[in-house]
Amino acid sequence: MSAANQHVFSHGMEDTRETLAVWSERPWAVLRAWLALSLAIALALLAATWFVAGLLTPDLTPIHLPGFTSPAEPADLLPILWRNSLVLALHATACVAGFIAGASMPIAAAQRTGFSRWVHVKAGEFAILFVCAVTLFSLCTQALYLGFQGSTLSYQLHISRFELILSVLPHAIPELTALFLPLAAWLIASRRGEWNQLLAATLITVLLAIPTLILSATIEVYIWPHILRDLSSVTYSYPS
């Protein structure tokens, strides 16, 4: 069993190195497909957010929005980065699960017999189901969370939902596109049957997403409040 596990690991690392070598020769051809699909998912989520915001009852508790109701500080970036890091980790885990299900499990199952073989075959199927479940869970929870936030902000700041969606585009588009990059890579690889490329895809998409999320959080904290001030008739005064 130890030898079989070592064989699976070695095979996975070899596939990953080969994939990275091939991609390094034509990086844009790979990235543009991921970016296009991830952007499409991000736009769909924003549309769902706009729709859900119109259905939910806004929270009447006075909002706290750094840069709008209080001065913006570097520490205000941390909650945003923490939430986004959890979502990115969830999506990256789904991408790794796709690699395990489509590439590693068949190799591991071939090295085993009897009940052990059955377990590995079924584990691969469950891993694929896990990825599908993660995708639906992520989209639904984010649509509900962002929709509720949108409903509250729209009501309390006296701006329309459409204006609110437009105001968040400078930070929401890069943020959501970065967050959905691992899932976009999984969807493309699964359609092509290129499961052995998913470990490399996870590495690349996460490395691309991290600086993008930091930049997006900075825009959200230091620029977005000024856009809201121009759109809203509600004003908050605080010491400069």
Side-chain angles (χ1 to χ4, degrees):
M1 184 175 296
S2 177
N5 289 335
Q6 183 63 36
H7 174 70
V8 172
F9 177 79
S10 299
H11 196 279
M13 291 302 99
E14 181 180 351
D15 283 341
T16 301
R17 286 193 295 269
E18 291 178 357
T19 299
L20 292 174
V22 172
W23 286 351
S24 65
E25 298 175 358
R26 49 182 186 88
W28 178 239
V30 177
L31 289 176
R32 67 187 178 191
W34 294 348
L35 289 172
L37 182 54
S38 185
L39 176 60
I41 298 173
L43 292 175
L45 179 58
L46 288 173
T49 298
W50 173 84
F51 178 76
V52 171
L55 300 178
L56 299 179
T57 302
D59 187 357
L60 300 182
T61 305
I63 60 170
H64 171 67
L65 189 64
F68 193 93
T69 61
S70 64
E73 299 178 356
D76 295 320
L77 296 172
L78 298 180
I80 300 172
L81 293 175
W82 171 248
R83 290 193 300 269
N84 285 338
S85 66
L86 292 178
V87 175
L88 180 62
L90 180 67
H91 293 174
T93 300
C95 201
V96 173
F99 171 79
I100 295 172
S104 294
M105 282 300 175
I107 298 173
Q111 305 295 319
R112 290 167 167 79
T113 58
F115 180 73
S116 179
R117 179 185 178 88
W118 181 86
V119 169
H120 280 75
V121 170
K122 292 302 180 182
E125 296 175 1
F126 282 126
I128 294 175
L129 291 175
F130 168 77
V131 175
C132 296
V134 164
T135 303
L136 292 174
F137 174 80
S138 178
L139 289 172
C140 292
T141 54
Q142 289 189 72
L144 287 173
Y145 173 78
L146 295 175
F148 179 70
Q149 295 295 320
S151 174
T152 299
L153 288 173
S154 177
Y155 177 81
Q156 294 200 24
L157 298 184
H158 300 165
I159 59 178
S160 68
R161 288 178 291 136
F162 182 71
E163 288 176 318
L164 182 62
I165 290 294
L166 289 180
S167 75
V168 304
L169 292 182
H171 69 267
I173 291 294
E175 176 185 281
L176 294 175
T177 301
L179 287 176
F180 285 112
L181 271 179
L183 287 182
W186 178 84
L187 290 170
I188 292 173
S190 64
R191 182 173 59 86
R192 297 173 177 174
E194 298 171 340
W195 301 99
N196 60 324
Q197 297 183 1
L198 280 177
L199 200 58
T202 304
L203 175 64
I204 297 300
T205 53
V206 170
L207 289 178
L208 290 173
I210 290 174
T212 305
L213 293 177
I214 294 174
L215 175 62
S216 299
T218 304
I219 296 174
E220 181 175 349
V221 170
Y222 289 102
I223 297 178
W224 182 45
H226 295 286
I227 299 176
L228 289 178
R229 283 181 176 274
D230 291 336
L231 293 175
S232 176
S233 60
V234 179
T235 58
Y236 290 84
S237 299
Y238 56 83
S240 303

